[in-house]
Amino acid sequence: MELQEAKEKFISTWGTLGSLWGINKAMAQIHALLFISPNPLSMEDIMEALEISRGNASMNLRGLMDWGIVYKVNVPGERKEFFTSEKDVTELSRQIAKERSRRELQPTIKILKEVSSIEDDGTAATKEFIKQTKAMHDLADTADTMMNRIVSQEQNWITKTLVKFLK
Amino acid sequence: MELQEAKEKFISTWGTLGSLWGINKAMAQIHALLFISPNPLSMEDIMEALEISRGNASMNLRGLMDWGIVYKVNVPGERKEFFTSEKDVTELSRQIAKERSRRELQPTIKILKEVSSIEDDGTAATKEFIKQTKAMHDLADTADTMMNRIVSQEQNWITKTLVKFLK
DNA sequence: TTTAACTTTCAAATAATTTTGAAAGTTTAA
DNA sequence: TTAAACTTTCAAAATTATTTGAAAGTTAAA
């Protein structure tokens, strides 16, 4: 396999995989392209490489910047904007974990807490509902805590220790 | 808030959240319904509660059984089939982690290994590609190992220890 | 300023996914 | 057996998500 083929395979795999972390195909592919590119790319470059429209490129680049994993860079002497991605996989996963917690886990935890707090009227249906939603709340809360700690900057030492321990 | 409202809120939240672990709305809602129901439900019950068609119920119940988190149960004296979900959240997350690893992580790791093994021709583009896809491979591999260990039955003690440690 | 280069927005078009419902298939009671 | 009760399948319909492209908006060189 040579570079071009490998590149295409990587980008397309990353694209279909986007759903694993909740983003669409074009967005994941733009990220993949930037991730393996040795230098920043312009919107033009991205449109051409992925055969997508200008609007698509623009919107998804903004989405990636909102996720905090793609940045604008200024290339001296160039009028247009260039983009580059977070290249450090540790920082990348930290950022993704942080955003997923904020966007998905935390709102869910809030609702679980809410619904599990209904008054117990003594019926089987209510008892089961409270028991199960409480259990789910505790699970989500623990998962959120672990996720945030494991990927947090300050506690990075623990991650390394853990990884070694678990390997 | 009373039971009916709380139930609806839980089921609908779980539905939109399905994407977090890669399943569709109806599937997630069926799971939510079974998860809080004190007794097994028939396909009829599910269709009625969620206002979905027979075909939809049938296909998604099968999907949930494929994930290993919903089971058929036999209710004595009843002709039709009844369904119940995994009620233990620990077992539930273990099962989901196991399936996601098998369905998504492992195939990805395989491709990352493949594409990162292209021959280094010395160009900047190739060097960057190999470096970045290798880093991604290592990350995915570590994540897979951790995930599997953390949720594995045999090593359950470590989970508890860890959770305490990190809290 | 003016204007050309560039970026964003968003309604409409396209594509992908999900849902329906009825026919085909299966099971079990009589 | 037969037939009623029940489940599955799958093509077509409905819904949802994504993408396009051109007009509007912005920026900066001249």
Side-chain angles (χ1 to χ4, degrees), chain A residues 94-121:
Chain A
R94 179 176 295 144
Q95 197 57 33
I96 291 170
K98 192 175 127 200
E99 281 297 306
R100 289 206 72 161
S101 163
R102 185 179 68 77
R103 296 177 189 211
E104 293 159 354
L105 225 33
Q106 279 165 27
T108 305
I109 290 167
K110 190 161 160 275
I111 288 174
L112 286 173
K113 189 169 186 180
E114 223 175 290
V115 299
S116 67
S117 303
I118 59 169
E119 198 196 341
D120 187 352
D121 63 9

Side-chain angles (χ1 to χ4, degrees), chain B residues 128-148:
Chain B
E128 181 75 0
F129 181 83
I130 293 174
K131 176 170 148 261
Q132 290 300 84
T133 51
K134 269 213 169 85
M136 200 67 100
H137 173 271
D138 291 350
L139 175 73
D141 208 38
T142 302
D144 193 42
T145 304
M146 281 189 72
M147 205 168 93
N148 278 291

Side-chain angles (χ1 to χ4, degrees), chain A residues 122-133:
Chain A
T123 63
T126 303
K127 279 192 180 306
E128 181 75 0
F129 181 84
I130 293 173
K131 176 169 147 263
Q132 290 300 86
T133 51

Side-chain angles (χ1 to χ4, degrees), chain A residues 19-65:
Chain A
S19 63
L20 201 143
W21 42 290
I23 64 168
N24 73 41
K25 202 182 89 178
M27 201 156 142
Q29 291 193 339
I30 292 173
H31 173 258
L33 179 66
L34 292 173
F35 184 73
I36 58 171
S37 170
N39 29 55
L41 301 178
S42 70
M43 206 146 89
E44 217 58 40
D45 296 334
I46 293 166
M47 288 165 59
E48 195 179 315
L50 304 178
E51 301 184 77
I52 60 174
S53 72
R54 187 171 298 284
N56 200 354
S58 174
M59 293 180 102
N60 285 304
L61 278 166
R62 178 142 63 87
L64 286 164
M65 288 189 287

Side-chain angles (χ1 to χ4, degrees), chain B residues 22-85:
Chain B
I23 63 169
N24 73 40
K25 202 183 88 179
M27 201 157 143
Q29 291 193 338
I30 293 173
H31 173 258
L33 179 66
L34 292 172
F35 184 74
I36 57 171
S37 170
N39 29 55
L41 301 179
S42 70
M43 204 144 92
E44 215 61 36
D45 295 334
I46 293 166
M47 288 164 60
E48 195 178 317
L50 303 178
E51 302 184 77
I52 59 174
S53 71
R54 188 173 297 284
N56 201 353
S58 173
M59 292 180 102
N60 284 303
L61 278 166
R62 177 141 64 87
L64 286 164
M65 289 190 287
D66 290 346
W67 270 87
I69 56 178
V70 159
Y71 321 112
K72 272 188 188 161
V73 291
N74 214 285
V75 174
E78 285 276 11
R79 169 79 177 272
K80 60 187 151 206
E81 293 170 325
F82 284 75
F83 300 88
T84 193
S85 89

Side-chain angles (χ1 to χ4, degrees), chain B residues 108-126:
Chain B
T108 304
I109 291 168
K110 190 162 161 276
I111 288 173
L112 286 173
K113 190 170 183 180
E114 222 176 292
V115 299
S116 67
S117 303
I118 58 167
E119 198 196 341
D120 186 352
D121 63 8
T123 63
T126 303

